[in-house]
Amino acid sequence: MTAVPVAGRAPLSPLGLAFLVVASTGWGLNFPIMKFLLTEWPPLSSRGLCGVVGAVALGLIALVRGQTLRVPDGMWLRLALVSTLAIGGWVASMGLALIWLRASEAAVLGITIPVWVALVAWPVLGERVSLPRALALAVALAGIAALIGGGGIDASLGKLPGILFALAGAICVGLGTVLTKSFKLAMPPLSLAAWQLAIGCVPIAIIGVLIEQPQLAALSQFGWASMIYMTLIQFCLCYVCWFAALERLPAATASIGTLLVPVVGVLAAAAMLREPLSTGDIAALVVTFAAVAVALRT
């Protein structure tokens, strides 16, 4: 992977932005798909097992393309830390959050990632937040706050566990994003994605199978289709694109780009699950999208 600049702002890579859009769109669509899957399969088993299968698929693709799966000496501890945070923490937390939250609510609450990245990236990476970017981030977060209110999230104890799990997942990804840029994880993208998925998802899959005891017979055709999407798109395609984007973009820019995830998630939840989408929700989505566009240009 390329070296991380210590200070200043690196030029934005068009290819990096394209990778970021693909990852954010795929992750946004995954929220209603995950919510549906929870009606047939438990969260840790479905998320963990899909991640493990995705890791194996990426590993095989890497080998076919001639990429080595060997982890360089001295990198195991850093790889394990980043994978546990950015993959394991997110996969487990967001799966559990959807037990209590609607898909749109989980998508919105989960994407507080830029806040945590901005708090850590400055002292760790020396990525100073410019005033225009800070203002754009504030506007985007205000749009997300409006989405939360418009979506009807209340302060009831019934939804509190889901809110806490969603925020915990976002914090884990924020920390993992900064550490990914800080550490020199010098591996080919496919191999790195395969190892991160494996390290992050194998423990979750094991815990899920032991505690939840999922039954394959419980999966309908739509359930199998959801599992295939989570494996091939969410874990394989999206994570490869995410790591490729991080390789080419500043951590703060990549994290701000993920604010597109709740936009896609809310719209997809309304279309696929018939979750409510008011005029206020649409206005907040427009504000969020506009703020993201401004932030990516500053």
Side-chain angles (χ1 to χ4, degrees):
M1 301 181 77
T2 57
V4 179
V6 176
R9 196 180 73 199
L12 296 184
S13 162
L15 183 59
L17 294 177
F19 282 132
L20 185 59
V21 169
V22 171
S24 297
T25 302
W27 282 333
L29 291 173
N30 193 59
F31 277 96
I33 291 174
M34 283 193 299
K35 184 64 176 179
F36 168 79
L37 188 58
L38 283 179
T39 64
E40 299 185 4
W41 252 45
L44 297 182
S45 300
S46 57
R47 300 269 284 165
L49 289 174
C50 284
V52 171
V53 175
V56 173
L58 286 177
L60 292 175
I61 294 173
L63 290 176
V64 169
R65 293 176 61 87
Q67 296 184 9
T68 179
L69 292 177
R70 178 183 176 275
V71 178
D73 296 336
M75 205 180 85
W76 274 107
L77 182 59
R78 291 175 289 168
L79 180 61
L81 177 59
V82 168
S83 303
T84 300
L85 286 171
I87 307 296
W90 176 259
V91 167
S93 296
M94 292 311 299
L96 293 171
L98 281 167
I99 296 175
W100 290 275
L101 302 177
R102 297 199 307 265
S104 56
E105 294 169 342
V108 170
L109 281 171
I111 308 304
T112 55
I113 295 171
V115 176
W116 314 113
V117 172
L119 290 175
V120 181
W122 192 341
V124 175
L125 301 179
E127 290 187 4
R128 296 179 179 274
V129 181
S130 65
L131 180 58
R133 179 171 289 175
L135 292 175
L137 177 59
V139 171
L141 292 178
I144 286 179
L147 282 173
I148 293 174
I153 292 182
D154 52 38
S156 68
L157 292 178
K159 288 187 176 180
L160 183 59
I163 294 172
L164 294 178
F165 275 122
L167 291 176
I171 293 172
C172 286
V173 175
L175 292 173
T177 298
V178 173
L179 291 178
T180 298
K181 294 291 291 184
S182 178
F183 296 153
K184 293 182 179 180
L185 302 178
M187 293 181 65
L190 285 175
S191 302
L192 178 61
W195 274 114
Q196 291 213 18
L197 283 177
I199 294 171
C201 291
V202 165
I204 296 170
I206 293 174
I207 293 172
V209 170
L210 292 178
I211 295 178
E212 299 169 339
Q213 298 181 343
Q215 301 296 321
L216 289 177
L219 288 172
S220 65
Q221 290 183 341
F222 288 110
W224 278 109
S226 300
M227 294 281 281
I228 291 172
Y229 178 91
M230 287 174 58
T231 301
L232 298 182
I233 305 300
Q234 184 215 356
F235 284 115
C236 291
L237 178 63
C238 290
Y239 274 108
V240 168
C241 288
W242 172 244
F243 296 138
L246 279 180
E247 188 178 18
R248 294 165 172 83
L249 299 172
T253 300
S255 65
I256 290 172
T258 61
L259 288 171
L260 294 176
V261 174
V263 175
V264 177
V266 171
L267 293 176
M272 299 167 64
L273 303 178
R274 305 300 181 187
E275 291 188 359
L277 181 62
S278 66
T279 304
D281 293 331
I282 296 175
L285 287 172
V286 172
V287 170
T288 302
F289 186 84
V292 171
V294 172
L296 291 176
R297 292 178 63 87
T298 56

